[in-house]
């Protein structure tokens, strides 16, 4: 997600290649955000809506659902304790995990620990549910294998969805 029109052509080509190779993958999904701003995306959607209310609304809703969907777990690295304009709409009900580890040093074990904490919090929520948003997604079952870690360039926030 983000503004590909401002990226070098070689990077855009490589992103398209990786998307094509992984298009039929099932299970967990990872979003790579490059030159991305939630506020800018919301403003663009509002502009499309203002220009053509019916077409703009349908386009904005379908594009948002298609591109990201709702995020179940958002991991913020680098010691920051804020979302910094990252997936503001999509992460409305996400579990948040903050790590002091910088992104280049974030390893599979760190991801596994974040997912384990996510599972623990969702298991506790199942004992005392307060609403439908507390239900754990299917991929958070204890039998889920430790996910592989893919590096999103220099971005220091990661959003996962089921």
């Amino acid at each position: 997600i983000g503004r590909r029109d401002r990226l070098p052509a070689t990077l855009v080509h490589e992103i398209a290649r990786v998307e094509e190779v992984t298009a039929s993958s099932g299970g967990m999904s990872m979003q790579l955000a490059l030159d991305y701003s939630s506020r800018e995306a919301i403003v663009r959607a509002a502009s499309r809506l203002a220009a053509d209310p019916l077409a703009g609304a349908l386009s904005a809703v379908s594009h948002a659902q298609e591109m990201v969907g709702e995020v179940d777990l958002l991991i913020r690295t680098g010691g920051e304790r804020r979302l910094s304009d990252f997936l503001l709409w999509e992460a409305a009900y996400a579990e948040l995990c903050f790590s002091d580890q910088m992104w280049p040093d974030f390893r599979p074990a760190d991801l596994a620990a974040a997912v384990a904490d996510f599972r623990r919090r969702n298991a506790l929520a199942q004992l005392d549910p307060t609403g439908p948003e507390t239900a754990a997604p299917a991929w958070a079952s204890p039998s889920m294998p430790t996910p592989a870690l893919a590096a999103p360039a220099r971005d220091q926030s990661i959003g996962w969805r089921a």
Side-chain angles (χ1 to χ4, degrees):
I1 57 174
R3 298 279 314 265
R4 293 184 187 189
D5 61 313
R6 298 191 295 205
L7 298 174
T10 54
L11 181 55
V12 172
H13 179 268
E14 186 62 19
I15 291 170
R17 185 190 69 74
V18 169
E19 286 176 334
E20 184 179 321
V21 169
T22 61
S24 63
S25 298
M28 197 179 333
S29 174
M30 180 176 161
Q31 295 294 323
L32 171 63
L34 295 170
D35 196 4
Y36 170 80
S37 163
S38 285
R39 288 186 278 184
E40 184 178 312
I42 293 169
V43 167
R44 277 195 323 269
S47 296
R48 284 194 302 269
L49 181 59
D52 185 348
L54 182 57
L58 294 175
S59 173
V61 168
S62 67
H63 180 71
Q65 290 175 341
E66 191 178 293
M67 289 304 292
V68 179
E70 289 192 24
V71 174
D72 294 315
L73 172 63
L74 188 133
I75 300 172
R76 178 64 198 247
T77 61
E80 297 294 337
R81 301 290 188 260
R82 60 184 177 183
L83 295 181
S84 301
D85 197 24
F86 185 73
L87 299 177
L88 299 176
W89 183 273
E90 299 84 356
Y93 294 101
E95 290 285 332
L96 304 177
C97 174
F98 299 102
S99 171
D100 291 332
Q101 199 82 316
M102 297 298 287
W103 174 250
D105 300 321
F106 197 80
R107 299 289 177 244
D110 300 312
L111 176 59
V115 170
D117 186 54
F118 172 82
R119 287 183 185 149
R120 182 189 56 76
R121 286 184 284 175
N122 278 279
L124 291 174
Q126 294 301 312
L127 295 175
D128 184 22
T130 59
E133 68 272 9
T134 62
W139 66 265
S141 70
S143 62
M144 182 187 128
T146 301
L149 180 64
R154 297 192 68 224
D155 182 57
Q156 293 187 351
S157 296
I158 313 160
W160 268 272
R161 67 183 169 102

